mmCIF file of all heavy atoms in Angstrom:
data_model
loop_
_atom_site.group_PDB
_atom_site.id
_atom_site.type_symbol
_atom_site.label_atom_id
_atom_site.label_comp_id
_atom_site.label_asym_id
_atom_site.label_seq_id
_atom_site.Cartn_x
_atom_site.Cartn_y
_atom_site.Cartn_z
ATOM 1 N N GLY A 247 10.909 138.727 43.339
ATOM 2 C CA GLY A 247 9.448 138.308 43.391
ATOM 3 C C GLY A 247 8.841 138.589 41.982
ATOM 4 O O GLY A 247 9.394 139.423 41.164
ATOM 5 N N MET A 248 7.763 137.994 41.540
ATOM 6 C CA MET A 248 7.123 138.143 40.380
ATOM 7 C C MET A 248 6.734 139.565 40.209
ATOM 8 O O MET A 248 6.509 140.017 39.129
ATOM 9 C CB MET A 248 5.916 137.176 40.229
ATOM 10 C CG MET A 248 6.302 135.689 40.053
ATOM 11 S SD MET A 248 4.906 134.617 39.830
ATOM 12 C CE MET A 248 4.150 135.186 38.355
ATOM 13 N N ASP A 249 6.290 140.268 41.360
ATOM 14 C CA ASP A 249 5.991 141.701 41.260
ATOM 15 C C ASP A 249 7.027 142.537 40.613
ATOM 16 O O ASP A 249 6.714 143.717 40.388
ATOM 17 C CB ASP A 249 5.545 142.174 42.581
ATOM 18 C CG ASP A 249 6.544 141.937 43.695
ATOM 19 O OD1 ASP A 249 7.384 141.093 43.637
ATOM 20 O OD2 ASP A 249 6.606 142.872 44.668
ATOM 21 N N LEU A 250 8.336 142.053 40.562
ATOM 22 C CA LEU A 250 9.457 142.862 40.046
ATOM 23 C C LEU A 250 9.700 142.553 38.533
ATOM 24 O O LEU A 250 10.545 143.232 37.963
ATOM 25 C CB LEU A 250 10.696 142.627 40.876
ATOM 26 C CG LEU A 250 10.593 142.923 42.332
ATOM 27 C CD1 LEU A 250 11.965 142.717 43.028
ATOM 28 C CD2 LEU A 250 10.285 144.492 42.467
ATOM 29 N N LEU A 251 8.962 141.502 37.968
ATOM 30 C CA LEU A 251 9.192 141.292 36.639
ATOM 31 C C LEU A 251 9.137 142.471 35.746
ATOM 32 O O LEU A 251 9.993 142.824 34.866
ATOM 33 C CB LEU A 251 8.112 140.289 36.102
ATOM 34 C CG LEU A 251 8.536 138.821 36.008
ATOM 35 C CD1 LEU A 251 7.264 138.036 35.812
ATOM 36 C CD2 LEU A 251 9.473 138.614 34.982
ATOM 37 N N PHE A 252 8.068 143.392 35.960
ATOM 38 C CA PHE A 252 7.993 144.515 35.178
ATOM 39 C C PHE A 252 7.375 145.584 36.149
ATOM 40 O O PHE A 252 6.508 145.401 36.839
ATOM 41 C CB PHE A 252 6.793 144.297 33.961
ATOM 42 C CG PHE A 252 6.775 145.600 33.146
ATOM 43 C CD1 PHE A 252 7.626 145.797 32.050
ATOM 44 C CD2 PHE A 252 5.842 146.675 33.433
ATOM 45 C CE1 PHE A 252 7.464 146.883 31.269
ATOM 46 C CE2 PHE A 252 5.821 147.774 32.735
ATOM 47 C CZ PHE A 252 6.628 147.868 31.548
ATOM 48 N N PRO A 253 8.045 146.783 36.062
ATOM 49 C CA PRO A 253 9.022 147.208 35.181
ATOM 50 C C PRO A 253 10.529 146.922 35.618
ATOM 51 O O PRO A 253 11.415 147.126 34.901
ATOM 52 C CB PRO A 253 8.924 148.620 35.043
ATOM 53 C CG PRO A 253 8.364 149.170 36.372
ATOM 54 C CD PRO A 253 7.659 147.950 36.942
ATOM 55 N N HIS A 254 10.772 146.547 36.913
ATOM 56 C CA HIS A 254 12.049 146.640 37.393
ATOM 57 C C HIS A 254 13.069 145.687 36.735
ATOM 58 O O HIS A 254 14.154 146.215 36.230
ATOM 59 C CB HIS A 254 12.050 146.318 38.930
ATOM 60 C CG HIS A 254 13.396 146.424 39.590
ATOM 61 N ND1 HIS A 254 14.009 147.621 39.628
ATOM 62 C CD2 HIS A 254 14.055 145.595 40.345
ATOM 63 C CE1 HIS A 254 15.137 147.497 40.294
ATOM 64 N NE2 HIS A 254 15.223 146.285 40.722
ATOM 65 N N HIS A 255 12.741 144.357 36.661
ATOM 66 C CA HIS A 255 13.571 143.527 36.049
ATOM 67 C C HIS A 255 13.739 143.750 34.511
ATOM 68 O O HIS A 255 14.795 143.573 33.859
ATOM 69 C CB HIS A 255 13.254 142.098 36.325
ATOM 70 C CG HIS A 255 13.555 141.771 37.793
ATOM 71 N ND1 HIS A 255 13.038 140.606 38.348
ATOM 72 C CD2 HIS A 255 14.338 142.394 38.681
ATOM 73 C CE1 HIS A 255 13.486 140.624 39.681
ATOM 74 N NE2 HIS A 255 14.158 141.688 39.901
ATOM 75 N N GLU A 256 12.697 143.971 33.910
ATOM 76 C CA GLU A 256 12.618 144.373 32.401
ATOM 77 C C GLU A 256 13.568 145.455 32.090
ATOM 78 O O GLU A 256 14.401 145.495 31.207
ATOM 79 C CB GLU A 256 11.275 144.555 31.951
ATOM 80 C CG GLU A 256 11.104 144.399 30.419
ATOM 81 C CD GLU A 256 11.131 143.030 29.921
ATOM 82 O OE1 GLU A 256 10.167 142.296 30.125
ATOM 83 O OE2 GLU A 256 11.999 142.593 29.218
ATOM 84 N N SER A 257 13.522 146.492 33.026
ATOM 85 C CA SER A 257 14.299 147.652 32.763
ATOM 86 C C SER A 257 15.848 147.387 33.130
ATOM 87 O O SER A 257 16.731 147.978 32.498
ATOM 88 C CB SER A 257 13.921 148.775 33.726
ATOM 89 O OG SER A 257 12.470 149.131 33.315
ATOM 90 N N GLU A 258 16.087 146.570 34.090
ATOM 91 C CA GLU A 258 17.466 146.092 34.344
ATOM 92 C C GLU A 258 18.105 145.550 33.223
ATOM 93 O O GLU A 258 19.280 145.886 32.840
ATOM 94 C CB GLU A 258 17.497 145.146 35.410
ATOM 95 C CG GLU A 258 17.383 145.613 36.861
ATOM 96 C CD GLU A 258 17.719 144.569 37.865
ATOM 97 O OE1 GLU A 258 18.884 144.003 37.902
ATOM 98 O OE2 GLU A 258 16.845 144.238 38.678
ATOM 99 N N ILE A 259 17.396 144.608 32.474
ATOM 100 C CA ILE A 259 18.046 143.927 31.169
ATOM 101 C C ILE A 259 18.171 145.133 30.126
ATOM 102 O O ILE A 259 19.420 145.073 29.591
ATOM 103 C CB ILE A 259 17.028 143.048 30.685
ATOM 104 C CG1 ILE A 259 16.863 141.795 31.616
ATOM 105 C CG2 ILE A 259 17.416 142.414 29.185
ATOM 106 C CD1 ILE A 259 15.709 140.765 31.140
ATOM 107 N N ALA A 260 17.264 146.020 30.032
ATOM 108 C CA ALA A 260 17.452 147.070 28.979
ATOM 109 C C ALA A 260 18.745 147.960 29.304
ATOM 110 O O ALA A 260 19.551 148.282 28.419
ATOM 111 C CB ALA A 260 16.208 147.852 28.805
ATOM 112 N N GLN A 261 18.758 148.361 30.546
ATOM 113 C CA GLN A 261 20.068 149.094 30.962
ATOM 114 C C GLN A 261 21.298 148.440 30.821
ATOM 115 O O GLN A 261 22.227 149.107 30.205
ATOM 116 C CB GLN A 261 19.785 149.620 32.475
ATOM 117 C CG GLN A 261 18.646 150.337 32.661
ATOM 118 C CD GLN A 261 18.281 150.414 34.284
ATOM 119 O OE1 GLN A 261 17.634 151.445 34.681
ATOM 120 N NE2 GLN A 261 18.669 149.466 35.023
ATOM 121 N N SER A 262 21.316 147.297 31.149
ATOM 122 C CA SER A 262 22.610 146.472 31.016
ATOM 123 C C SER A 262 22.986 146.292 29.612
ATOM 124 O O SER A 262 24.129 146.475 29.208
ATOM 125 C CB SER A 262 22.501 145.212 31.782
ATOM 126 O OG SER A 262 22.394 145.317 33.175
ATOM 127 N N LYS A 263 21.976 145.852 28.809
ATOM 128 C CA LYS A 263 22.264 145.750 27.354
ATOM 129 C C LYS A 263 22.586 147.044 26.788
ATOM 130 O O LYS A 263 23.493 147.215 25.777
ATOM 131 C CB LYS A 263 21.132 145.118 26.643
ATOM 132 C CG LYS A 263 20.953 143.556 27.099
ATOM 133 C CD LYS A 263 19.852 142.941 26.280
ATOM 134 C CE LYS A 263 20.172 142.661 24.848
ATOM 135 N NZ LYS A 263 19.065 141.828 24.070
#
Side-chain angles (χ1 to χ4, degrees):
M248 288 181 66
D249 56 332
L250 298 179
L251 258 173
F252 186 87
H254 187 55
H255 290 163
E256 197 74 70
S257 299
E258 278 190 61
I259 294 174
Q261 292 165 159
S262 296
K263 290 182 74 174

